[in-house]
């Protein structure tokens, strides 16, 4: 998940919009939280999973992703001994 934490940070702070990266990170993080094997999830990810998902739902899930990534970053910082 550390790779996606970095990818998320880059997507959020980039001057370029990176919706593809954000959606992939959203999908992967949701699968991680569900306990799925990330290697398999990454290998089988297809952006088509977002077809038909209303934008309001994507917005809601992106907000939840932000909360999750902040907590993940805090946990990783503690784990790595970063203050």
């Amino acid at each position: 998940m550390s790779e996606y934490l970095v990818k998320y940070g880059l997507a959020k702070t980039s001057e370029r919009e990176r919706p593809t990266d954000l959606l992939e990170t959203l999908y992967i993080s949701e699968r991680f939280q569900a306990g799925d094997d990330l290697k398999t999830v990454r290998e089988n990810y297809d952006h088509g999973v977002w077809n038909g998902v209303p934008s309001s739902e994507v917005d809601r899930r992106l907000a939840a992703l932000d909360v999750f990534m902040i907590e993940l970053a805090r946990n990783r910082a503690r784990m790595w001994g970063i203050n």
Side-chain angles (χ1 to χ4, degrees):
M1 245 351 263
S2 296
E3 174 186 346
Y4 283 95
L5 180 58
V6 171
K7 193 174 195 175
Y8 179 74
L10 289 172
K12 291 289 282 189
T13 59
S14 175
E15 292 181 14
R16 264 183 52 219
E17 287 191 31
R18 298 179 180 269
T20 304
D21 289 345
L22 280 175
L23 289 175
E24 179 183 355
T25 301
L26 173 58
Y27 182 77
I28 297 296
S29 71
E30 288 180 343
R31 302 307 345 127
F32 172 77
Q33 292 174 76
D36 294 348
D37 175 47
L38 289 188
K39 183 178 180 197
T40 303
V41 170
R42 283 176 58 151
E43 290 171 355
N44 295 315
Y45 175 73
D46 181 337
H47 66 274
V49 300
W50 299 107
N51 292 344
V53 178
S55 60
S56 60
E57 177 66 13
V58 172
D59 288 342
R60 183 192 66 73
R61 290 163 70 177
L62 284 171
L65 174 65
D66 196 49
V67 171
F68 171 74
M69 286 299 189
I70 289 168
E71 188 59 31
L72 181 63
R74 286 180 183 145
N75 289 341
R76 296 295 159 96
R78 275 192 300 273
M79 183 172 67
W80 297 330
I82 301 170
N83 294 330

